[in-house]
Amino acid sequence: MTEFTAGESDPNFKWGVSTAAYQTEGAILTDGKGLSIWDEFSNRPGKIYNGQNGNQACDFYHRYPEDLTIIQQLGIPNFRFSIAWSRVLPQGVGAPNQAGIDFYDRLIDSCLERSIEPWITLYHWDLPAILQQQGGWTNRDVIGWFTEYVELVASHFKDRVENWMVLNEPIVFTGAGYFLGIHAPGKRGMKNFSSAVHHAALCQAEGGRVIRDLHSSAQVGTTFSCSLVEPASSSRRDVRAAQRVDALLNRMFIEPSLGRGYPIDQLPALARLEKHMKSGDEELLKFDFDFIGLQCYTREVVRHSWSMPYLFARQVSPHKRGVPTTLMGWEVCEDSIYHILKNFHRRYHLKNIIITENGAAFADSVRCGEINDYERQQYLSNHIQACLRAKQEGIPLSGYFVWTLTDNFEWAEGYRPTFGLVHINFQTQKRIIKQSGYLYADLIQQYLKQPKGQNVNI
Ligand code: IFM
C-alpha cells in the first residue's frame, strides 16, 4: 500500500462510490419500464464497441442486494446511483410505473438497512425514448417534462434521501449526444447542440428549485465533468486555444448557474446559445447549489487548429506525448484533479465541493480468484492524496466518490474499459472484489478512525 500524508482528518468527509442506472441495471423492459434513448441507441448496429449493449449490464436490477452488501463489507458509507426516468415514467410524463418506483424504494431501504447513505442523481443520460421523438433536449418542452419527473421522484423519496444531484456531466451528454452523435440519441451539429445545452442548463437550475421546494433540508447539487486544460506551447494561439477548450469543458454549465451567463467572451461560438434564450432566462439559469460535484479523470493538452470548426483547437493526444494512459486513452495525471479543485475555488469561491467521480479503467486479470490491479490502486491513492492536499490547503472539499463500484457498460466503449473496484464476469455475473476495493476500504477506515483534527498518514 502507498504511504501518504492525508492531512487533518475530518470525520464528516463523505467517502463514497458512484454508479449510473443505464450502466448497471439491465432489465430494460422489466416490470413496465419504458425504453430510453440508450436502450435504443446501443441496440443499433455499429454504435457500440463489439456490438455490445446495456440490456443486461450488471443485472443490478436483480442483484442490488449483493452489490450493497459488498459496499457494506468494504465500509464505504455513501452510495451514489441514478434513477432511470423511463423506469418510473415509461412515457416520460403522465402515468407513473409503480413497479419502477417500488424498485427504487427497495434499493433505498436496502441502503439504509445497511447504514449506507443514498445519493441520487436524477439524470445520468437516459432520456425516455418517447421524449426524443419530440426532439428530446432540443425541445424547450423538456423543462416541463423534467419538472414533472423531478417532482414525482423528489416527493416520493424525500423522506429517506437527503443528497440529490440534478444532472450528470451535461457537457458530455449534450456534446457526445447532440453534437458529435457518438452517444445517444446520435444527433449532430451546432443547431442540435446549442438548443440541447441551453435547455439542459435551464433544467439544471429548475431541477434544483423543484427539489428544494419539496424538500427544504435536502442537500442539492449537480455534477460537472472537468479537466485541467493546458496549452501545448506558450504561443499566443495555443494559449487562446486552451482558453476556448476550458470554456467549453469547464465553464459552460457552471457559469450560468452562478449568474455569470455563458462564457461567450472566451468561446465566441457559444453566441449561438443566445438564439434559444427567452426573456427572463438569465434569472431562470441561476440556482444556488448546496454543493458542486466535480468529476475529473485526466488532463487535456491542446493546440490551435484551423481545421476544427467552432473551437479552432485540437487535443495533442497522450500517446503522442508519451505519457501513461488508462484503457480510455486518458492521461494519468493526478495534478489535474488538484489544479481543478484549486482553479474552481479561485474562480467561483464555491462553498462546498465534492468529487462525485474519479477512477480509472485498466486491464484486469483474474489469477487464482484474485485481481491485483496495481495500476488502479496507484491511480486512486495518488488522486485521493491530491484531493486531500487541496483540502488541507483550504479548498472546501467535503467528499470523494470513486467511479465505480463494479465493472459496467462504459457507453460507446461497451464493456472493454473496466473501472470497477469489483470485477464482474459478464457471462456468469459473478463478482470478485479487486485489490483496489480493499485498498479503498482500508484508506477510508484509516482516515475515519483518526481523532478529529489530527494528521493522518495512510
Ligand atoms: O462512465 C462514465 C460516467 O457515466 C460519467 N463519468 C465518466 C465515467 C467514465 O467515463
Side-chain angles (χ1 to χ4, degrees), residues 19-20 23 80 124-125 168-169 172 225 295 297 328 330 357 359 403-404 408-411 419:
T19 65
Q23 294 178 270
R80 170 181 175 230
H124 201 126
W125 309 355
N168 186 74
E169 299 181 352
V172 181
S225 54
Q295 318 201 145
Y297 289 82
M328 296 294 280
W330 298 344
E357 284 184 23
W403 181 268
T404 179
N408 61 38
F409 180 79
E410 178 55 29
W411 311 110
F419 279 88

